[in-house]
Amino acid sequence: MSLYSSLRWAEAVVAALVLTGVVALVSWATVTRYLGHPNIWVLEVTQVLFAWTCLLAASIAFRRSSHFSVSLLEELLPPKLRGLLRLLQQIVMLVLLVVLGWVGLDFVEVAHRRPLPLTGIRFSWVAVTIPVACMLMGITCIENIVRELRTPIETGSDEETS
Amino acid sequence: MLLLGILLFVLAVVIGLPISFALLLASAPTFLTGDYLPTSIAVQKMVQVTQSYPLMAIPFFVLAGNIMTESGIARRLVDFSRVLVGWMVGGLAQVSIILSLLMGGIAGSAVADTAMQSRLLGGPMIAKGYSKGFTAGVIAYSSIITATIPPSIGLIVFGFIANVSVGKLLLAGIIPGLILTVALMGYTYLAARKMGYGAEDVELPTWGDVYRSGKAAFWALMFPIILLVGFRFGFFTATEAGAFVIVYALVIGAFVYRDLKWSNLWSALQQSLSDIGMIMLIIIMAAVLGHVIVLEQAPTRLASALAVLSDDPTVTLLLILGFLVVAGMIMEATVNVLLLTPLFLPILQAQGHDPIHFGVLMVTIITMGGNTPPIGVGMFTVCGMLKVSIKDYIKGSTPFLLVMLSAFLFMALVPNVVTWLPNQMMGK
Amino acid sequence: QDYTMRIGSVQAESDPIIKGFNKFKELVETGTEGSVEVMVYPNGQLGNTQDLMDQAQAGANVAAFTDAMRLASFLPKFGIIGAPYVFADYDEADKFTSSDEFWSWADELKENSGFVTLAFNWYQGPRNLLTNTRIESRADVEGLRIRTPGAPVWVAAGRTLGGTPTPLDWAEIYSAMQLGAIDAVEAQPAGIVGSRFYEVADYLTRTEHIQLITGIVVGETWWDQLPSEHQDVIRNSAVEAGRYMSDLVIEQSKKDFATMEENGMTLSDIDLSEFKEVAAKEIEALDLTEAYENVRAVVDGD
Ligand code: NA
Ligand code: NA
């Protein structure tokens, strides 16, 4: 298995486990409260897992290109230019992800000083989801760029000659 | 900076960036040039979204919708409604509206309802020949009913801010919710007849048919009822209800219908993660932009310009409601309620309006804004999950928007439809 | 002006907290002859408490309005300020948070967290118990699921009352109380009236287990660049505005209790000795006995 596909596999498994964990913990909290023995730490752990669910899921959606967009220009452009537009999209997103990931690391530093009150889990465990998601999506971007550059040479060469 | 942000947003959308990235780009200028804000605060705003407990309802209902689809619950529900209302035109579309009314009692959030029904009913509807735009429109707009039927998170938030009785507000939402239900069903009936949707079996079903398919769909039909009962008797809260639907769907799918296998579960999980990622990233990025809009004091400036326009109470109310329609189109619902209530309510109360009346209208209108361009989480959700283009969505959903606006106009001009029930039950 | 300070809270313009902020603004701006400007943001315009604390820590010129329990994550002994049955009333709390002992704690807090304390005498009233059953002794509370915020000191307070502490998001309390997912809530008068809990609870028992005292903190990055004469003015203004605000709260609380009665709640007193005994054990279990003794030494001394 290539590095990229094992990364994708690991991400899918971890994300599924985390989502299942959120559902299980919230159900557990409901039942125990009903029975009169509520778990006081569950809410905190759930919120940490919820952050991971959201951001890992964002990366999965990004890999599947299911983030919602408006394909207005792409439909209008002649087929030759579409590849170029896709390349531009990926590059702009990569830049945004790098900047956000970088700024996100600053916030991780701030968040690391704050322990969650009951469990003592550092808030950086939540904050770090942003740079991690940026990194994962950035890798997908690079993968897409490489694929775009490799696909039918004629598109690219047409561009340069015409 | 806000202007530059808007420009960047439009540019990003046009070149085809995902909406979430366009939202991020729109808030970049304010953060990168702001005189006082450390840039990392943008990240803090993102992280804060993932710490909001009520928002967890969204992933829950998405996963529930996918599990119900994979476990045969959805299929049985669709079969049963086909037998029951298949002779009627627009049957499945009507199911979507009724289901929103029922789920309104549990799912406090319109987006959660939209997301679940996109998976539960969207696919079958498109397969049965409903146009994509119409399908998306009916699912998105019927979910607004959930914002009026108690417990509505929006109404509770309004009650706290406006300092009016939450109990009264929740009661006040019921009749408007029913009015919206009837209005949407009426339009759906007419539209479906014109376009020939549904109505596959010409003959009326026999009691035998109804019994057989009803029996097959029994556990599917019980799920909103069991939820409603569990909620009413204090077993779970509105957010926890979402987790409970999942457990219910798992148990029924695996042990009663025995259609749910590990492989179905795996694909339901992966499909859900992809849906959740799409929706949550939009909400996360919209939260950052919402903060920027507040920092630039855009709503305050606009609202104060509006406040001086008229002395006539009815005209003032309509102007303010019109403003809310526009504000709802752009900003996220909770932000709107938090910011605009303190600005508008005093003006209206001074002119003799009942805050309960205004509250119900405000919360519903603001929630509806989530279904309209240019920015709307509900719209992005349904379009993203059903792969509907914005063009088709606008075409299919605009009639629903107009129906809803007429219903609001009626409720604005006849305050009694809102205030009668709470005044009857709890006194003036 | 040369410096700007932003202060915000989730309350509305009419709330004593925002009135206190406006007083603070007036005092700082006159005291520094306009060199430091204070901008007040009501209605959660800048974000919630945690947002503002993060912003301050990240270096923004933002002041956060916070209770002691949040700060206890950084310096555990801060928790004693919010622990059950430590202060009998506002005057005791004010006496402690004006003492040298308290300001040495504030220095330790700065070391640990980067938060600089401006004042910690902003009173929000006593926390009391709300239920739908009549409470005549601690035994009546046993087995009730009582909603408390999720921090160790709050949880201990819930146990002190005899209930089973249950964490729940503030936004869900109203319907959870109404439908019976929880049996009890504890809150200060303004919180009860602001969130209209009197609509979903029949009884208020004056347990007064916590005298809710809050304060204002800023981040050290911003604070350290201020000239020291400005720092003195800002601190003194924060303390003075805190007393002004606390008087307003005490006045407002009387009206709030009247509002609760008008809305059909039954308010009753209860013998506190049993609660106080348990509180002492809870404080010991939290490892706050030494902090408790320090506080009482200051309060009881002259
Ligand atoms: Na619906
Ligand atoms: Na919109």
Side-chain angles (χ1 to χ4, degrees):
Chain A
M1 221 171 3
S2 74
L3 186 67
Y4 182 70
S5 58
S6 34
L7 188 68
R8 187 168 53 190
W9 173 247
E11 182 187 73
V13 173
V14 173
L17 285 176
V18 172
L19 175 57
T20 315
V22 174
V23 176
L25 282 178
V26 171
S27 312
W28 174 248
T30 309
V31 173
T32 51
R33 184 190 58 226
Y34 189 74
L35 298 176
H37 303 282
N39 284 100
I40 46 171
W41 50 268
V42 165
L43 226 142
E44 260 178 26
V45 180
T46 315
Q47 279 171 318
V48 175
L49 293 184
F50 181 44
W52 280 95
T53 308
C54 292
L55 276 308
L56 287 175
S59 170
I60 290 176
F62 194 76
R63 242 180 255 295
R64 295 182 166 205
S65 306
S66 8
H67 280 291
F68 184 62
S69 61
V70 181
S71 50
L72 192 78
L73 192 60
E74 201 169 335
E75 282 165 23
L76 293 176
L77 282 181
K80 288 180 185 175
L81 290 176
R82 286 183 194 167
L84 218 59
L85 181 68
R86 283 197 295 272
L87 203 58
L88 175 71
Q89 291 166 357
Q90 297 294 330
I91 291 169
V92 174
M93 287 193 287
L94 186 59
V95 172
L96 275 172
L97 288 168
V98 168
V99 174
L100 181 59
W102 192 254
V103 176
L105 283 176
D106 278 351
F107 184 66
V108 173
E109 211 181 307
V110 175
H112 192 65
R113 302 179 77 165
R114 165 147 70 98
L116 294 177
L118 284 174
T119 50
I121 300 173
R122 295 271 159 181
F123 195 63
S124 42
W125 277 101
V126 172
V128 81
T129 54
I130 300 280
V132 168
C134 286
M135 190 190 74
L136 290 170
M137 290 193 275
I139 291 172
T140 310
C141 265
I142 293 169
E143 180 84 9
N144 290 341
I145 291 171
V146 170
R147 184 158 22 88
E148 211 55 66
L149 288 176
R150 276 186 191 154
T151 43
I153 299 292
E154 62 266 32
T155 323
S157 54
D158 261 15
E159 277 317 307
E160 281 163 19
T161 50
S162 62
Chain B
M1 279 307 123
L2 198 54
L3 214 63
L4 179 60
I6 294 169
L7 213 70
L8 283 172
F9 178 77
V10 173
L11 197 70
V13 171
V14 168
I15 69 163
L17 285 199
I19 297 291
S20 39
F21 284 77
L23 291 168
L24 173 64
L25 199 57
S27 36
T30 303
F31 277 103
L32 295 178
T33 63
D35 56 333
Y36 95 97
L37 268 181
T39 323
S40 63
I41 293 311
V43 181
Q44 179 234 18
K45 285 283 158 193
M46 294 175 193
V47 170
Q48 232 25 54
V49 173
T50 69
Q51 299 301 291
S52 157
Y53 192 72
L55 271 184
M56 269 189 228
I58 292 174
F60 290 161
F61 280 98
V62 167
L63 181 57
N66 280 314
I67 291 180
M68 285 195 267
T69 305
E70 290 285 339
S71 64
I73 295 181
R75 182 172 52 77
R76 285 173 174 83
L77 210 57
V78 172
D79 284 348
F80 177 67
S81 44
R82 211 202 68 227
V83 172
L84 206 62
V85 291
W87 55 276
M88 219 195 266
V89 289
L92 275 179
Q94 307 287 18
V95 170
S96 163
I97 299 171
I98 295 288
L99 192 58
S100 289
L101 180 68
L102 287 175
M103 293 298 293
I106 317 138
S109 138
V111 177
D113 185 64
T114 302
M116 184 179 77
Q117 295 198 10
S118 298
R119 279 289 165 250
L120 199 61
L121 299 169
M125 281 177 75
I126 292 171
K128 289 232 181 293
Y130 289 78
S131 83
K132 283 186 157 190
F134 181 85
T135 305
V138 74
I139 289 176
Y141 278 89
S142 61
S143 76
I144 307 306
I145 301 169
T146 58
T148 61
I149 302 294
S152 152
I153 293 172
L155 285 176
I156 293 179
V157 172
F158 178 88
F160 291 166
I161 297 167
N163 194 24
V164 294
S165 161
V166 179
K168 270 187 154 187
L169 268 173
L170 292 178
L171 280 173
I174 295 177
I175 293 180
L178 294 174
I179 292 178
L180 292 180
T181 307
V182 172
L184 290 177
M185 287 182 82
Y187 167 72
T188 300
Y189 177 78
L190 294 177
R193 200 166 67 171
K194 187 162 158 249
M195 293 180 273
Y197 291 146
E200 51 248 65
D201 311 319
V202 188
E203 280 170 39
L204 284 176
T206 65
W207 285 111
D209 295 338
V210 174
Y211 176 76
R212 269 189 303 279
S213 67
K215 198 174 157 221
F218 178 76
W219 291 107
L221 290 169
M222 283 307 282
F223 106 86
I225 295 165
I226 288 182
L227 273 192
L228 219 55
V229 170
F231 180 71
R232 294 291 160 222
F233 285 90
F235 182 63
F236 38 62
T237 67
T239 308
E240 292 160 357
F244 202 77
V245 191
I246 296 171
V247 175
Y248 181 78
L250 280 176
V251 171
I252 300 297
F255 302 112
V256 181
Y257 292 155
R258 294 162 190 260
D259 284 350
L260 189 66
K261 307 278 180 282
W262 285 110
S263 61
N264 301 124
L265 186 59
W266 177 251
S267 54
L269 274 169
Q270 291 305 314
Q271 182 60 54
S272 301
L273 283 166
S274 176
D275 295 340
I276 293 165
M278 190 261 297
I279 302 169
M280 291 310 295
L281 198 62
I282 290 173
I283 297 180
I284 286 170
M285 297 308 178
V288 183
L289 185 61
H291 189 62
V292 166
I293 292 175
V294 174
L295 287 177
E296 306 273 354
Q297 297 190 314
T300 321
R301 277 188 253 153
L302 283 173
S304 51
L306 197 74
V308 291
L309 282 182
S310 172
D311 299 331
D312 182 77
T314 313
V315 177
T316 313
L317 178 67
L318 293 180
L319 275 175
I320 289 180
L321 294 181
F323 179 84
L324 291 179
V325 172
V326 178
M329 287 180 167
I330 302 159
M331 287 195 300
E332 194 270 329
T334 321
V335 177
N336 268 318
V337 175
L338 275 171
L339 278 180
L340 299 179
T341 308
L343 292 174
F344 286 141
L345 193 63
I347 304 172
L348 289 169
Q349 275 182 306
Q351 295 192 353
H353 286 285
D354 185 340
I356 301 267
H357 179 224
F358 176 63
V360 171
L361 282 167
M362 172 166 191
V363 169
T364 330
I365 289 178
I366 291 290
T367 313
M368 186 191 71
N371 284 339
T372 59
I375 299 175
V377 176
M379 169 181 72
F380 296 144
T381 299
V382 71
C383 290
M385 287 174 83
L386 295 176
K387 305 260 179 283
V388 180
S389 73
I390 291 286
K391 203 174 93 198
D392 288 348
Y393 175 79
I394 292 177
K395 205 170 132 217
S397 70
T398 306
F400 287 106
L401 174 67
L402 295 177
V403 167
M404 221 161 226
L405 287 177
S406 330
F408 292 146
L409 189 62
F410 170 68
M411 291 181 233
L413 297 177
V414 190
N416 263 337
V417 296
V418 180
T419 52
W420 179 79
L421 187 64
N423 286 343
Q424 282 297 310
M425 309 262 295
M426 297 177 69
K428 268 219 158 210
Chain C
Q1 104 276 348
D2 313 300
Y3 304 93
T4 306
M5 173 179 180
R6 292 163 205 258
I7 187 163
S9 184
V10 291
Q11 283 79 11
E13 205 84 59
S14 59
D15 195 280
I17 294 172
I18 305 295
K19 287 184 183 157
F21 287 172
N22 287 327
K23 182 76 178 178
F24 174 62
K25 173 188 170 74
E26 186 191 311
L27 293 170
V28 170
E29 288 175 1
T30 358
T32 61
E33 289 162 349
S35 173
V36 178
E37 185 195 16
V38 177
M39 295 174 78
V40 178
Y41 294 81
N43 303 315
Q45 289 176 21
L46 279 186
N48 62 27
T49 304
Q50 196 57 60
D51 288 344
L52 296 183
M53 286 176 76
D54 285 344
Q55 292 180 23
Q57 237 180 351
N61 52 349
V62 162
F65 185 68
T66 177
D67 60 55
M69 287 70 145
R70 285 179 195 274
L71 298 171
S73 312
F74 303 103
L75 183 67
K77 66 180 166 189
F78 241 78
I80 197 68
I81 297 172
Y85 301 108
V86 172
F87 301 115
D89 54 26
Y90 173 62
D91 289 338
E92 287 195 2
D94 185 33
K95 187 172 180 190
F96 175 69
T97 58
S98 310
S99 69
D100 291 342
E101 173 74 12
F102 172 78
W103 289 105
S104 77
W105 289 18
D107 290 339
E108 277 180 66
L109 178 71
K110 184 182 175 186
E111 278 298 304
N112 290 5
S113 67
F115 284 121
V116 176
T117 309
L118 301 187
F120 224 90
N121 62 342
W122 292 55
Y123 184 51
Q124 296 202 49
R127 305 269 287 194
N128 286 311
L129 180 67
L130 273 72
T131 52
N132 279 310
T133 50
R134 188 181 285 281
I135 305 298
E136 278 162 350
S137 71
R138 188 171 176 277
D140 294 336
V141 190
E142 260 160 46
L144 296 187
R145 291 162 298 181
I146 174 172
R147 183 270 175 186
T148 60
V153 178
W154 287 115
V155 171
R159 274 198 297 262
T160 300
L161 293 175
T164 310
T166 308
L168 198 70
D169 196 79
W170 182 266
E172 290 199 304
I173 298 178
Y174 185 95
S175 67
M177 252 325 252
Q178 189 174 38
L179 300 166
I182 50 170
D183 312 303
V185 175
E186 51 87 47
Q188 69 277 18
I192 296 167
V193 171
S195 298
R196 314 190 73 88
F197 291 153
Y198 51 74
E199 293 178 3
V200 290
D202 296 333
Y203 297 95
L204 180 142
T205 312
R206 293 182 199 269
T207 47
E208 303 200 340
H209 49 284
I210 291 173
Q211 299 292 341
L212 185 60
I213 190 92
T214 36
I216 300 177
V217 295
V218 294
E220 64 180 342
T221 327
W222 180 73
W223 179 255
D224 289 345
Q225 66 196 24
L226 290 176
S228 70
E229 64 270 23
H230 285 357
Q231 290 180 344
D232 292 343
V233 172
I234 291 174
R235 269 212 166 117
N236 293 336
S237 304
V239 172
E240 195 182 329
R243 290 198 183 112
Y244 165 84
M245 173 270 188
S246 301
D247 286 343
L248 291 180
V249 166
I250 292 167
E251 273 311 299
Q252 183 61 42
S253 296
K254 290 177 194 155
K255 289 183 199 145
D256 288 340
F257 284 125
T259 307
M260 291 175 219
E261 278 186 312
E262 281 160 25
N263 283 279
M265 274 189 103
T266 308
L267 276 53
S268 62
D269 291 318
I270 191 167
D271 175 28
L272 299 181
S273 52
E274 213 181 343
F275 295 117
K276 286 181 178 169
E277 268 171 45
V278 182
K281 288 183 199 134
E282 290 290 344
I283 286 171
E284 202 181 320
L286 287 167
D287 213 8
L288 289 174
T289 312
E290 195 193 325
Y292 177 76
E293 278 158 8
N294 290 340
V295 169
R296 288 316 305 182
V298 171
V299 173
D300 297 331
D302 36 33

